PDB file of all heavy atoms in Angstrom:
ATOM      1  N   ARG A  27      29.585  13.516  -1.322  1.00 46.00           N
ATOM      2  CA  ARG A  27      28.691  13.929  -0.365  1.00 46.00           C
ATOM      3  C   ARG A  27      27.234  13.494  -0.640  1.00 46.00           C
ATOM      4  O   ARG A  27      26.754  13.586  -1.801  1.00 46.00           O
ATOM      5  CB  ARG A  27      28.675  15.485  -0.250  1.00 46.00           C
ATOM      6  CG  ARG A  27      27.838  16.063   0.909  1.00 46.00           C
ATOM      7  CD  ARG A  27      28.252  17.505   1.084  1.00 46.00           C
ATOM      8  NE  ARG A  27      27.873  18.368  -0.066  1.00 46.00           N
ATOM      9  CZ  ARG A  27      26.800  19.046  -0.180  1.00 46.00           C
ATOM     10  NH1 ARG A  27      25.871  18.851   0.808  1.00 46.00           N
ATOM     11  NH2 ARG A  27      26.475  19.712  -1.196  1.00 46.00           N
ATOM     12  N   ASN A  28      26.549  12.975   0.388  1.00 49.00           N
ATOM     13  CA  ASN A  28      25.191  12.509   0.198  1.00 49.00           C
ATOM     14  C   ASN A  28      24.187  13.726   0.297  1.00 49.00           C
ATOM     15  O   ASN A  28      24.199  14.383   1.371  1.00 49.00           O
ATOM     16  CB  ASN A  28      24.863  11.508   1.253  1.00 49.00           C
ATOM     17  CG  ASN A  28      23.493  10.827   0.929  1.00 49.00           C
ATOM     18  OD1 ASN A  28      22.529  11.452   0.562  1.00 49.00           O
ATOM     19  ND2 ASN A  28      23.418   9.516   1.322  1.00 49.00           N
ATOM     20  N   LYS A  29      23.411  14.046  -0.689  1.00 48.00           N
ATOM     21  CA  LYS A  29      22.518  15.148  -0.664  1.00 48.00           C
ATOM     22  C   LYS A  29      21.075  14.756  -0.456  1.00 48.00           C
ATOM     23  O   LYS A  29      20.134  15.535  -0.867  1.00 48.00           O
ATOM     24  CB  LYS A  29      22.673  15.962  -1.947  1.00 48.00           C
ATOM     25  CG  LYS A  29      24.093  16.552  -2.150  1.00 48.00           C
ATOM     26  CD  LYS A  29      24.085  17.386  -3.447  1.00 48.00           C
ATOM     27  CE  LYS A  29      25.521  17.998  -3.616  1.00 48.00           C
ATOM     28  NZ  LYS A  29      25.580  18.781  -4.834  1.00 48.00           N
ATOM     29  N   MET A  30      20.801  13.573   0.100  1.00 48.00           N
ATOM     30  CA  MET A  30      19.465  13.098   0.158  1.00 48.00           C
ATOM     31  C   MET A  30      18.497  14.127   0.911  1.00 48.00           C
ATOM     32  O   MET A  30      17.473  14.343   0.517  1.00 48.00           O
ATOM     33  CB  MET A  30      19.444  11.805   0.956  1.00 48.00           C
ATOM     34  CG  MET A  30      18.084  11.182   1.148  1.00 48.00           C
ATOM     35  SD  MET A  30      17.209  10.896  -0.373  1.00 48.00           S
ATOM     36  CE  MET A  30      15.539  10.555   0.233  1.00 48.00           C
ATOM     37  N   PHE A  31      19.038  14.712   1.992  1.00 48.00           N
ATOM     38  CA  PHE A  31      18.278  15.659   2.743  1.00 48.00           C
ATOM     39  C   PHE A  31      18.617  17.066   2.607  1.00 48.00           C
ATOM     40  O   PHE A  31      18.291  17.928   3.392  1.00 48.00           O
ATOM     41  CB  PHE A  31      18.336  15.201   4.268  1.00 48.00           C
ATOM     42  CG  PHE A  31      17.708  13.891   4.582  1.00 48.00           C
ATOM     43  CD1 PHE A  31      18.495  12.812   4.770  1.00 48.00           C
ATOM     44  CD2 PHE A  31      16.299  13.752   4.481  1.00 48.00           C
ATOM     45  CE1 PHE A  31      17.905  11.549   5.057  1.00 48.00           C
ATOM     46  CE2 PHE A  31      15.819  12.511   4.746  1.00 48.00           C
ATOM     47  CZ  PHE A  31      16.564  11.398   4.987  1.00 48.00           C
ATOM     48  N   LEU A  50       4.217  10.782  -0.909  1.00 97.00           N
ATOM     49  CA  LEU A  50       4.586   9.378  -0.635  1.00 97.00           C
ATOM     50  C   LEU A  50       4.650   9.162   0.859  1.00 97.00           C
ATOM     51  O   LEU A  50       4.081   8.159   1.354  1.00 97.00           O
ATOM     52  CB  LEU A  50       5.987   8.996  -1.207  1.00 97.00           C
ATOM     53  CG  LEU A  50       6.583   7.776  -0.838  1.00 97.00           C
ATOM     54  CD1 LEU A  50       5.806   6.555  -1.388  1.00 97.00           C
ATOM     55  CD2 LEU A  50       8.001   7.695  -1.241  1.00 97.00           C
ATOM     56  N   THR A 142      14.243  10.847  -9.599  1.00 93.00           N
ATOM     57  CA  THR A 142      15.271  10.055 -10.050  1.00 93.00           C
ATOM     58  C   THR A 142      15.330   8.665  -9.350  1.00 93.00           C
ATOM     59  O   THR A 142      14.779   8.569  -8.243  1.00 93.00           O
ATOM     60  CB  THR A 142      16.706  10.729  -9.928  1.00 93.00           C
ATOM     61  OG1 THR A 142      16.942  10.885  -8.509  1.00 93.00           O
ATOM     62  CG2 THR A 142      16.682  12.028 -10.669  1.00 93.00           C
ATOM     63  N   LEU A 143      15.962   7.682  -9.963  1.00 94.00           N
ATOM     64  CA  LEU A 143      15.964   6.374  -9.417  1.00 94.00           C
ATOM     65  C   LEU A 143      16.655   6.327  -8.089  1.00 94.00           C
ATOM     66  O   LEU A 143      16.160   5.697  -7.114  1.00 94.00           O
ATOM     67  CB  LEU A 143      16.620   5.422 -10.421  1.00 94.00           C
ATOM     68  CG  LEU A 143      16.615   3.950 -10.110  1.00 94.00           C
ATOM     69  CD1 LEU A 143      15.216   3.371  -9.876  1.00 94.00           C
ATOM     70  CD2 LEU A 143      17.352   3.142 -11.180  1.00 94.00           C
ATOM     71  N   ASN A 144      17.770   6.975  -7.983  1.00 94.00           N
ATOM     72  CA  ASN A 144      18.556   6.981  -6.732  1.00 94.00           C
ATOM     73  C   ASN A 144      17.817   7.662  -5.619  1.00 94.00           C
ATOM     74  O   ASN A 144      17.796   7.170  -4.448  1.00 94.00           O
ATOM     75  CB  ASN A 144      19.971   7.650  -6.997  1.00 94.00           C
ATOM     76  CG  ASN A 144      20.826   7.417  -5.748  1.00 94.00           C
ATOM     77  OD1 ASN A 144      21.105   6.311  -5.386  1.00 94.00           O
ATOM     78  ND2 ASN A 144      21.233   8.529  -5.251  1.00 94.00           N
ATOM     79  N   PHE A 145      17.177   8.732  -5.959  1.00 95.00           N
ATOM     80  CA  PHE A 145      16.379   9.535  -4.939  1.00 95.00           C
ATOM     81  C   PHE A 145      15.182   8.621  -4.451  1.00 95.00           C
ATOM     82  O   PHE A 145      14.996   8.560  -3.192  1.00 95.00           O
ATOM     83  CB  PHE A 145      15.848  10.792  -5.540  1.00 95.00           C
ATOM     84  CG  PHE A 145      15.020  11.629  -4.610  1.00 95.00           C
ATOM     85  CD1 PHE A 145      15.680  12.595  -3.859  1.00 95.00           C
ATOM     86  CD2 PHE A 145      13.638  11.447  -4.484  1.00 95.00           C
ATOM     87  CE1 PHE A 145      14.893  13.487  -2.961  1.00 95.00           C
ATOM     88  CE2 PHE A 145      12.918  12.257  -3.604  1.00 95.00           C
ATOM     89  CZ  PHE A 145      13.560  13.218  -2.840  1.00 95.00           C
ATOM     90  N   ALA A 146      14.543   7.962  -5.392  1.00 96.00           N
ATOM     91  CA  ALA A 146      13.392   7.068  -4.947  1.00 96.00           C
ATOM     92  C   ALA A 146      13.826   5.968  -4.100  1.00 96.00           C
ATOM     93  O   ALA A 146      13.167   5.586  -3.056  1.00 96.00           O
ATOM     94  CB  ALA A 146      12.656   6.571  -6.144  1.00 96.00           C
ATOM     95  N   ILE A 147      14.969   5.325  -4.445  1.00 97.00           N
ATOM     96  CA  ILE A 147      15.494   4.201  -3.632  1.00 97.00           C
ATOM     97  C   ILE A 147      15.810   4.671  -2.191  1.00 97.00           C
ATOM     98  O   ILE A 147      15.429   3.994  -1.172  1.00 97.00           O
ATOM     99  CB  ILE A 147      16.718   3.578  -4.282  1.00 97.00           C
ATOM    100  CG1 ILE A 147      16.477   2.832  -5.530  1.00 97.00           C
ATOM    101  CG2 ILE A 147      17.464   2.630  -3.308  1.00 97.00           C
ATOM    102  CD1 ILE A 147      17.578   2.390  -6.377  1.00 97.00           C
ATOM    103  N   LYS A 148      16.452   5.792  -2.124  1.00 96.00           N
ATOM    104  CA  LYS A 148      16.797   6.276  -0.742  1.00 96.00           C
ATOM    105  C   LYS A 148      15.573   6.692   0.063  1.00 96.00           C
ATOM    106  O   LYS A 148      15.493   6.490   1.253  1.00 96.00           O
ATOM    107  CB  LYS A 148      17.733   7.542  -0.929  1.00 96.00           C
ATOM    108  CG  LYS A 148      19.118   7.163  -1.361  1.00 96.00           C
ATOM    109  CD  LYS A 148      19.985   8.422  -1.441  1.00 96.00           C
ATOM    110  CE  LYS A 148      21.393   8.102  -1.854  1.00 96.00           C
ATOM    111  NZ  LYS A 148      22.242   9.314  -1.939  1.00 96.00           N
ATOM    112  N   LEU A 149      14.532   7.305  -0.634  1.00 97.00           N
ATOM    113  CA  LEU A 149      13.347   7.700  -0.008  1.00 97.00           C
ATOM    114  C   LEU A 149      12.637   6.530   0.556  1.00 97.00           C
ATOM    115  O   LEU A 149      12.152   6.498   1.804  1.00 97.00           O
ATOM    116  CB  LEU A 149      12.453   8.443  -0.928  1.00 97.00           C
ATOM    117  CG  LEU A 149      11.243   9.186  -0.403  1.00 97.00           C
ATOM    118  CD1 LEU A 149      11.620  10.230   0.558  1.00 97.00           C
ATOM    119  CD2 LEU A 149      10.393   9.746  -1.555  1.00 97.00           C
ATOM    120  N   LEU A 150      12.483   5.448  -0.170  1.00 97.00           N
ATOM    121  CA  LEU A 150      11.827   4.226   0.278  1.00 97.00           C
ATOM    122  C   LEU A 150      12.653   3.574   1.482  1.00 97.00           C
ATOM    123  O   LEU A 150      12.070   3.050   2.493  1.00 97.00           O
ATOM    124  CB  LEU A 150      11.719   3.177  -0.819  1.00 97.00           C
ATOM    125  CG  LEU A 150      10.711   3.574  -1.939  1.00 97.00           C
ATOM    126  CD1 LEU A 150      10.882   2.753  -3.219  1.00 97.00           C
ATOM    127  CD2 LEU A 150       9.221   3.384  -1.382  1.00 97.00           C
ATOM    128  N   ASN A 151      14.019   3.544   1.287  1.00 97.00           N
ATOM    129  CA  ASN A 151      14.848   3.060   2.354  1.00 97.00           C
ATOM    130  C   ASN A 151      14.621   3.785   3.685  1.00 97.00           C
ATOM    131  O   ASN A 151      14.470   3.176   4.705  1.00 97.00           O
ATOM    132  CB  ASN A 151      16.254   3.139   1.952  1.00 97.00           C
ATOM    133  CG  ASN A 151      17.281   2.595   2.943  1.00 97.00           C
ATOM    134  OD1 ASN A 151      17.676   3.314   3.917  1.00 97.00           O
ATOM    135  ND2 ASN A 151      17.607   1.386   2.834  1.00 97.00           N
ATOM    136  N   ARG A 152      14.514   5.113   3.614  1.00 97.00           N
ATOM    137  CA  ARG A 152      14.353   5.885   4.821  1.00 97.00           C
ATOM    138  C   ARG A 152      12.965   5.646   5.441  1.00 97.00           C
ATOM    139  O   ARG A 152      12.828   5.568   6.664  1.00 97.00           O
ATOM    140  CB  ARG A 152      14.504   7.404   4.537  1.00 97.00           C
ATOM    141  CG  ARG A 152      15.851   8.069   4.648  1.00 97.00           C
ATOM    142  CD  ARG A 152      16.936   7.342   4.101  1.00 97.00           C
ATOM    143  NE  ARG A 152      18.133   8.091   4.004  1.00 97.00           N
ATOM    144  CZ  ARG A 152      19.213   7.816   3.252  1.00 97.00           C
ATOM    145  NH1 ARG A 152      19.136   6.830   2.404  1.00 97.00           N
ATOM    146  NH2 ARG A 152      20.292   8.535   3.259  1.00 97.00           N
ATOM    147  N   LEU A 153      11.991   5.558   4.554  1.00 97.00           N
ATOM    148  CA  LEU A 153      10.614   5.264   5.041  1.00 97.00           C
ATOM    149  C   LEU A 153      10.545   3.917   5.778  1.00 97.00           C
ATOM    150  O   LEU A 153       9.988   3.894   6.970  1.00 97.00           O
ATOM    151  CB  LEU A 153       9.673   5.236   3.905  1.00 97.00           C
ATOM    152  CG  LEU A 153       8.174   4.820   4.163  1.00 97.00           C
ATOM    153  CD1 LEU A 153       7.484   5.854   5.134  1.00 97.00           C
ATOM    154  CD2 LEU A 153       7.372   4.585   2.905  1.00 97.00           C
ATOM    155  N   ILE A 154      11.095   2.970   5.270  1.00 98.00           N
ATOM    156  CA  ILE A 154      11.196   1.571   5.935  1.00 98.00           C
ATOM    157  C   ILE A 154      11.948   1.678   7.263  1.00 98.00           C
ATOM    158  O   ILE A 154      11.570   1.162   8.270  1.00 98.00           O
ATOM    159  CB  ILE A 154      11.720   0.511   5.004  1.00 98.00           C
ATOM    160  CG1 ILE A 154      10.873   0.370   3.799  1.00 98.00           C
ATOM    161  CG2 ILE A 154      11.878  -0.820   5.705  1.00 98.00           C
ATOM    162  CD1 ILE A 154      11.520  -0.422   2.659  1.00 98.00           C
ATOM    163  N   TRP A 155      13.113   2.359   7.217  1.00 97.00           N
ATOM    164  CA  TRP A 155      13.877   2.443   8.464  1.00 97.00           C
ATOM    165  C   TRP A 155      13.114   3.244   9.513  1.00 97.00           C
ATOM    166  O   TRP A 155      13.216   2.757  10.750  1.00 97.00           O
ATOM    167  CB  TRP A 155      15.254   3.178   8.122  1.00 97.00           C
ATOM    168  CG  TRP A 155      16.437   2.332   7.909  1.00 97.00           C
ATOM    169  CD1 TRP A 155      17.115   2.270   6.766  1.00 97.00           C
ATOM    170  CD2 TRP A 155      16.974   1.312   8.736  1.00 97.00           C
ATOM    171  NE1 TRP A 155      18.113   1.296   6.849  1.00 97.00           N
ATOM    172  CE2 TRP A 155      18.123   0.707   8.143  1.00 97.00           C
ATOM    173  CE3 TRP A 155      16.596   0.819  10.089  1.00 97.00           C
ATOM    174  CZ2 TRP A 155      18.781  -0.292   8.652  1.00 97.00           C
ATOM    175  CZ3 TRP A 155      17.413  -0.148  10.623  1.00 97.00           C
ATOM    176  CH2 TRP A 155      18.438  -0.746   9.915  1.00 97.00           C
ATOM    177  N   TRP A 212      11.509  -1.103  -3.046  1.00 98.00           N
ATOM    178  CA  TRP A 212      12.904  -0.901  -2.857  1.00 98.00           C
ATOM    179  C   TRP A 212      13.686  -2.002  -3.620  1.00 98.00           C
ATOM    180  O   TRP A 212      14.673  -1.756  -4.317  1.00 98.00           O
ATOM    181  CB  TRP A 212      13.235  -0.958  -1.395  1.00 98.00           C
ATOM    182  CG  TRP A 212      14.703  -0.809  -1.092  1.00 98.00           C
ATOM    183  CD1 TRP A 212      15.425   0.342  -1.006  1.00 98.00           C
ATOM    184  CD2 TRP A 212      15.640  -1.862  -0.739  1.00 98.00           C
ATOM    185  NE1 TRP A 212      16.749   0.104  -0.600  1.00 98.00           N
ATOM    186  CE2 TRP A 212      16.877  -1.257  -0.490  1.00 98.00           C
ATOM    187  CE3 TRP A 212      15.472  -3.282  -0.649  1.00 98.00           C
ATOM    188  CZ2 TRP A 212      18.041  -2.034  -0.216  1.00 98.00           C
ATOM    189  CZ3 TRP A 212      16.643  -3.948  -0.317  1.00 98.00           C
ATOM    190  CH2 TRP A 212      17.791  -3.413  -0.094  1.00 98.00           C
ATOM    191  N   LEU A 215      13.277  -1.297  -7.562  1.00 97.00           N
ATOM    192  CA  LEU A 215      14.127  -0.198  -7.996  1.00 97.00           C
ATOM    193  C   LEU A 215      15.630  -0.496  -7.940  1.00 97.00           C
ATOM    194  O   LEU A 215      16.373  -0.056  -8.818  1.00 97.00           O
ATOM    195  CB  LEU A 215      13.837   1.106  -7.153  1.00 97.00           C
ATOM    196  CG  LEU A 215      12.716   1.978  -7.695  1.00 97.00           C
ATOM    197  CD1 LEU A 215      11.422   1.309  -7.928  1.00 97.00           C
ATOM    198  CD2 LEU A 215      12.454   3.102  -6.728  1.00 97.00           C
ATOM    199  N   ASN A 216      16.023  -1.240  -6.948  1.00 96.00           N
ATOM    200  CA  ASN A 216      17.478  -1.742  -6.928  1.00 96.00           C
ATOM    201  C   ASN A 216      17.726  -2.641  -8.134  1.00 96.00           C
ATOM    202  O   ASN A 216      18.799  -2.643  -8.676  1.00 96.00           O
ATOM    203  CB  ASN A 216      17.745  -2.390  -5.657  1.00 96.00           C
ATOM    204  CG  ASN A 216      18.226  -1.438  -4.488  1.00 96.00           C
ATOM    205  OD1 ASN A 216      19.374  -1.022  -4.546  1.00 96.00           O
ATOM    206  ND2 ASN A 216      17.375  -1.082  -3.642  1.00 96.00           N
ATOM    207  N   GLN A 219      18.236  -0.496 -11.128  1.00 93.00           N
ATOM    208  CA  GLN A 219      19.480   0.261 -10.970  1.00 93.00           C
ATOM    209  C   GLN A 219      20.630  -0.677 -11.358  1.00 93.00           C
ATOM    210  O   GLN A 219      21.522  -0.263 -12.011  1.00 93.00           O
ATOM    211  CB  GLN A 219      19.737   0.776  -9.582  1.00 93.00           C
ATOM    212  CG  GLN A 219      20.885   1.723  -9.393  1.00 93.00           C
ATOM    213  CD  GLN A 219      21.028   2.181  -8.031  1.00 93.00           C
ATOM    214  OE1 GLN A 219      21.305   1.340  -7.179  1.00 93.00           O
ATOM    215  NE2 GLN A 219      20.969   3.450  -7.772  1.00 93.00           N
ATOM    216  N   ASP A 435      23.250   7.869 -10.206  1.00 46.00           N
ATOM    217  CA  ASP A 435      24.488   8.476  -9.668  1.00 46.00           C
ATOM    218  C   ASP A 435      24.362   8.748  -8.167  1.00 46.00           C
ATOM    219  O   ASP A 435      23.468   9.367  -7.718  1.00 46.00           O
ATOM    220  CB  ASP A 435      24.820   9.797 -10.431  1.00 46.00           C
ATOM    221  CG  ASP A 435      26.122  10.365  -9.992  1.00 46.00           C
ATOM    222  OD1 ASP A 435      26.812   9.759  -9.203  1.00 46.00           O
ATOM    223  OD2 ASP A 435      26.442  11.410 -10.589  1.00 46.00           O
ATOM    224  N   GLU A 436      25.253   8.214  -7.383  1.00 41.00           N
ATOM    225  CA  GLU A 436      25.217   8.354  -5.954  1.00 41.00           C
ATOM    226  C   GLU A 436      25.510   9.777  -5.515  1.00 41.00           C
ATOM    227  O   GLU A 436      25.287  10.156  -4.370  1.00 41.00           O
ATOM    228  CB  GLU A 436      26.290   7.520  -5.232  1.00 41.00           C
ATOM    229  CG  GLU A 436      26.018   6.012  -5.417  1.00 41.00           C
ATOM    230  CD  GLU A 436      24.815   5.543  -4.682  1.00 41.00           C
ATOM    231  OE1 GLU A 436      24.415   6.202  -3.653  1.00 41.00           O
ATOM    232  OE2 GLU A 436      24.181   4.604  -5.069  1.00 41.00           O
ATOM    233  N   THR A 437      25.942  10.707  -6.411  1.00 37.00           N
ATOM    234  CA  THR A 437      26.208  12.035  -6.021  1.00 37.00           C
ATOM    235  C   THR A 437      25.115  13.058  -6.300  1.00 37.00           C
ATOM    236  O   THR A 437      25.272  14.228  -6.109  1.00 37.00           O
ATOM    237  CB  THR A 437      27.519  12.567  -6.836  1.00 37.00           C
ATOM    238  OG1 THR A 437      27.181  12.551  -8.179  1.00 37.00           O
ATOM    239  CG2 THR A 437      28.702  11.590  -6.584  1.00 37.00           C
ATOM    240  N   GLU A 438      23.991  12.574  -6.741  1.00 41.00           N
ATOM    241  CA  GLU A 438      22.966  13.539  -7.168  1.00 41.00           C
ATOM    242  C   GLU A 438      22.481  14.417  -5.964  1.00 41.00           C
ATOM    243  O   GLU A 438      22.539  13.957  -4.831  1.00 41.00           O
ATOM    244  CB  GLU A 438      21.747  12.771  -7.685  1.00 41.00           C
ATOM    245  CG  GLU A 438      20.959  12.043  -6.638  1.00 41.00           C
ATOM    246  CD  GLU A 438      19.593  11.503  -7.134  1.00 41.00           C
ATOM    247  OE1 GLU A 438      19.151  12.044  -8.188  1.00 41.00           O
ATOM    248  OE2 GLU A 438      19.120  10.533  -6.596  1.00 41.00           O
TER     249      GLU A 438
END
Side-chain angles (χ1 to χ4, degrees):
R27 189 163 64 93
N28 188 326
K29 297 184 180 179
M30 177 62 191
F31 293 107
L50 171 68
T142 62
L143 185 57
N144 191 56
F145 182 89
I147 290 172
K148 289 181 177 179
L149 190 61
L150 289 165
N151 180 274
R152 268 48 169 199
L153 175 64
I154 297 166
W155 265 120
W212 178 83
L215 267 55
N216 271 282
Q219 187 182 64
D435 188 358
E436 293 294 331
T437 64
E438 71 170 340

